[in-house]
Amino acid sequence: MEKQEYERFRDSIGTVTSEGKRSWVYPKKPEGILYKYRKWVSYILLIILVVSPFIKINGNQFLMFNVLERRFNLFGNIFWPQDFYLFVLMMLIGVVFIVLFTVAFGRIFCGWICPQTIFMEMVFRRIEYWIEGDRGKQIRLDKQEWNAEKIRKKGLKWFIFFIISFLIANVFLAYLIGSDRLLLYINDGPLAHISTLISLLIFTGVFYFVFAWFREQVCIIACPYGRLQGVLLDNKSIVVAYDHKRGEKEKGRAKFKKKEDREASGKGDCIDCFQCVQVCPTGIDIRNGTQLECVNCTACIDACNKMMDAVDLPRGLIRYASEENIEKKKKFRFTPRIKGYAAVLFILVSVLSGMLFLRSKVEANILRLPGQLYEHKENNIISNVYTYKLINKTSKDFEEVQFKLLSHNGDINTVKGHSILVPSSGLAEGTLFIEINRAALEEEKDKLKIAIYSGDRLIETTGTTFLGPRSYK
C-alpha cells in the first residue's frame, strides 16, 4: 500500500491538475556553479545558432536546410537530392549518438543543449525574472487584479517576447531559404514578398505560443525524447538523482533544527526545504526518483548544494549518479549496451566518412534518348543520341567542359558544338551524339565509359550503353 501511494505521482503529470486544467509552473531563479556552466554553454550555442546561416565557407552557407528546393548545406558542403542517402545516413548517426548519450547519461541533452530549453531558460525566462521578479513576485503578480502595474509588466514582457519570437523566426527562415535571399527580401520590403511575410508571421506566432504559454509542456507532452528516455534508461545510466539512502535513512526526511545531532537522531540529510521542487522548470519533485518530466537541467543540484552548505551537511545529496551507484556504490562502467551502440555509431561514422571522401564534385548522367534507335553513317560509323545532365556540387564554375570516350575509339559531339559551362551550385543539360566505328562494337548493347574534363582536369567519369547492330565477330 505504501509503495502504491509513493508511486501515485507517476499516474499524472505535475503541470496538469486533477480537473485537467493547466497548473502553471513558477520556477525559482536558479543559481550555482552548474547554472553558471549552463549559461556559458547556452550562450555559445545561441551564438552558433544565430550566426550559422550567415557564415559562408567557399561561398556556401555554413548551414542551410532548403526543403522546398531540396538543397542542404552542411558545414559549407552542398548536398543535392542525389546525395539524399548521405543526408539520411547523417540523420541516423545523429539518432544513434543521442541514443548512446541517453543510455549513458540520461536526458542531459535536453537540459544543456536542446534549443527549446536554451531559449526558454536562458532567454525568455531571464527576461521574465528581470520584469516580473523571482518566483514569489510572479505568483503575487498573477493573483492580483489587473491594475496599472500588472498591465505595464505583462504588456512589456509580452511585447519583448513577440520581438524575440520574430527575430527567431527570421533566423529560422534563413536556415530554410538562405541568408542571402532573406536579406534580399528585407531590402525589398515586406510588401514585395507577401507570402514570405505571412510565413514569417506564422513562425513568429508558433514561437511566441511555445515560449510564452506552452513552455515546459513541449518537453513533457510534445517531445518524443522523454518517452524514448523511459525505454533507454536502466539502473546503470547516469542521471540527475536524489540519494534516497542518505536523504531518508531510518526515520526519513525532517526539517532542520539547530544544534541537533542529525546523524545520531537517525534522520536523513534531506531537510525537506522544497528548494529542489521550487527551482525545477518542469515542476517535479526529484526526490520521487527518475521521472519523465526531468530534463537533467541540474537546477535542483545547485539548490540542494546551497542548502547543504547552509546546514553544514555534505554536498551531493542530489547529484549526477546512477541508481546502481546509489544503491550499491558502484562506479560508472561501460555496459554491453553502451559498447553495442558505440560500435554501431563507429561503423556508421566510418561508412559516412568513406562516402564523403569518395563523393564526386560533379554528378553526371548520360542517358540514351528514349525511343531512338542507332543511326548508320558514312565509313561504317554507328551513332546514338543522348541527353546529359551535369550537376555542380561546388561553389566554383566548371568551364570548358568536354566529354571523352575512355572505353572505345570514337567521338562525342554536343548539339551546340562547343564546350559547356557548368555554373557553381547549378546544372547544365543538353543533347550529345556518340559515334563509334561498327568494327569496335562487340555486343548489341556495349557499355561505354566516359570521362568529363574541365579544361585539362578530369572532374568525373560515368557510364552509359551504346546500341548497335550485332557484331560479325
Side-chain angles (χ1 to χ4, degrees), residues 150-404:
K150 187 170 182 177
I151 292 173
R152 175 175 56 82
K153 289 184 176 181
K154 292 290 185 182
L156 178 61
K157 182 183 79 170
W158 292 336
F159 174 75
I160 295 176
F161 279 10
F162 180 83
I163 295 299
I164 295 176
S165 298
F166 182 74
L167 294 175
I168 295 173
N170 274 273
V171 173
F172 182 72
L173 198 61
Y175 278 101
L176 290 181
I177 66 174
S179 56
D180 290 341
R181 190 180 298 182
L182 176 65
L183 294 174
L184 177 64
Y185 288 174
I186 293 173
N187 187 58
D188 291 343
L191 297 180
H193 306 279
I194 295 296
S195 60
T196 303
L197 177 63
I198 292 172
S199 300
L200 191 62
L201 291 176
I202 291 173
F203 286 142
T204 301
V206 170
F207 288 126
Y208 181 82
F209 168 76
V210 168
F211 295 116
W213 189 82
F214 205 48
R215 299 190 161 201
E216 73 285 339
Q217 303 289 60
V218 173
C219 308
I220 298 172
I221 298 174
C223 181
Y225 188 43
R227 276 75 182 168
L228 184 66
Q229 174 187 240
V231 177
L232 296 174
L233 291 183
D234 57 25
N235 63 349
K236 299 174 180 63
S237 302
I238 294 178
V239 295
V240 173
Y242 166 68
D243 189 342
H244 61 91
K245 287 204 162 187
R246 177 187 152 193
E248 310 293 324
K249 291 186 179 177
E250 295 85 6
K251 295 190 177 180
R253 312 167 192 163
K255 295 290 183 181
F256 180 75
K257 295 180 181 179
K258 291 184 178 181
K259 297 182 180 180
E260 73 171 334
D261 189 341
R262 194 86 179 178
E263 189 172 350
S265 67
K267 298 175 183 177
D269 282 2
C270 178
I271 61 174
D272 220 14
C273 62
F274 283 92
Q275 291 299 303
C276 59
V277 179
Q278 292 179 8
V279 81
C280 180
T282 57
I284 66 168
D285 189 340
I286 192 64
R287 298 174 297 177
N288 288 331
T290 303
Q291 297 159 67
L292 167 73
E293 298 93 328
C294 180
V295 294
N296 286 20
C297 68
T298 68
C300 55
I301 296 179
D302 280 330
C304 185
N305 284 342
K306 182 180 179 181
M307 293 308 299
M308 291 296 100
D309 290 342
V311 297
D312 199 24
L313 289 172
R315 287 185 166 206
L317 181 59
I318 301 175
R319 63 182 186 273
Y320 274 123
S322 65
E323 183 180 330
E324 189 177 64
N325 175 256
I326 291 173
E327 295 285 351
K328 303 177 182 179
K329 302 299 181 183
K330 289 186 177 180
K331 293 183 178 181
F332 174 77
R333 57 189 176 87
F334 287 96
T335 63
R337 286 182 70 199
I338 295 176
K339 292 177 182 177
Y341 288 127
V344 172
L345 182 62
F346 177 78
I347 293 170
L348 290 175
V349 171
S350 300
V351 171
L352 177 64
S353 301
M355 288 182 171
L356 290 174
F357 181 76
L358 297 173
R359 177 176 177 257
S360 61
K361 296 179 180 179
V362 175
E363 183 83 20
N365 289 301
I366 300 176
L367 302 172
R368 291 188 67 258
L369 199 63
Q372 295 292 320
L373 295 175
Y374 58 86
E375 180 184 357
H376 283 278
K377 287 191 172 184
E378 295 180 355
N379 301 321
N380 209 28
I381 296 297
I382 305 298
S383 176
N384 280 207
V385 60
Y386 297 82
T387 59
Y388 67 85
K389 179 182 288 186
L390 305 176
I391 300 174
N392 188 350
K393 300 177 182 179
T394 71
S395 58
K396 297 180 180 180
D397 294 341
F398 286 115
E399 300 176 343
E400 300 180 2
V401 174
Q402 298 177 351
F403 301 91
K404 294 182 181 180

Side-chain angles (χ1 to χ4, degrees), residues 46 49 115-124 168 211:
L46 278 173
L49 185 67
Q116 157 69 18
T117 303
I118 290 173
F119 277 115
M120 185 68 249
E121 300 302 323
M122 297 301 171
V123 179
F124 289 88
I168 295 173
F211 295 116

Side-chain angles (χ1 to χ4, degrees), residues 27-158:
K28 186 178 179 182
K29 186 176 180 180
E31 56 180 328
I33 188 64
L34 291 175
Y35 183 64
K36 182 180 178 181
Y37 293 153
R38 277 182 63 209
K39 284 196 294 186
W40 281 109
V41 171
S42 298
Y43 294 150
I44 291 170
L45 292 176
L46 278 173
I47 292 171
I48 293 173
L49 185 67
V50 171
V51 304
S52 287
F54 303 96
I55 295 175
K56 297 289 183 69
I57 295 180
N58 296 326
N60 296 324
Q61 188 169 310
F62 184 67
L63 289 175
M64 184 173 72
F65 306 95
N66 192 333
V67 179
L68 298 177
E69 297 178 3
R70 294 177 297 171
R71 174 182 169 181
F72 304 91
N73 286 19
L74 293 176
F75 311 115
N77 297 304
I78 303 174
F79 293 88
W80 297 88
Q82 293 81 2
D83 299 313
F84 189 69
Y85 65 97
L86 292 174
F87 194 75
V88 171
L89 191 56
M90 290 178 189
M91 295 301 102
L92 284 174
I93 288 173
V95 170
V96 174
F97 177 78
I98 291 176
V99 167
L100 172 62
F101 211 68
T102 303
V103 169
F105 302 108
R107 208 173 171 181
I108 190 174
F109 171 86
C110 297
W112 287 70
I113 302 174
C114 177
Q116 157 69 18
T117 303
I118 290 173
F119 277 115
M120 185 68 249
E121 300 302 323
M122 297 301 171
V123 179
F124 289 88
R125 192 86 76 183
R126 288 178 66 82
I127 291 170
E128 197 167 58
Y129 290 138
W130 171 59
I131 296 173
E132 296 184 355
D134 209 342
R135 170 184 164 83
K137 291 182 179 180
Q138 289 181 24
I139 294 173
R140 289 192 295 271
L141 183 68
D142 280 359
K143 287 182 178 180
Q144 74 183 47
E145 297 293 330
W146 282 95
N147 53 22
E149 179 194 14
K150 187 170 182 177
I151 292 173
R152 175 175 56 82
K153 289 184 176 181
K154 292 290 185 182
L156 178 61
K157 182 183 79 170
W158 292 336

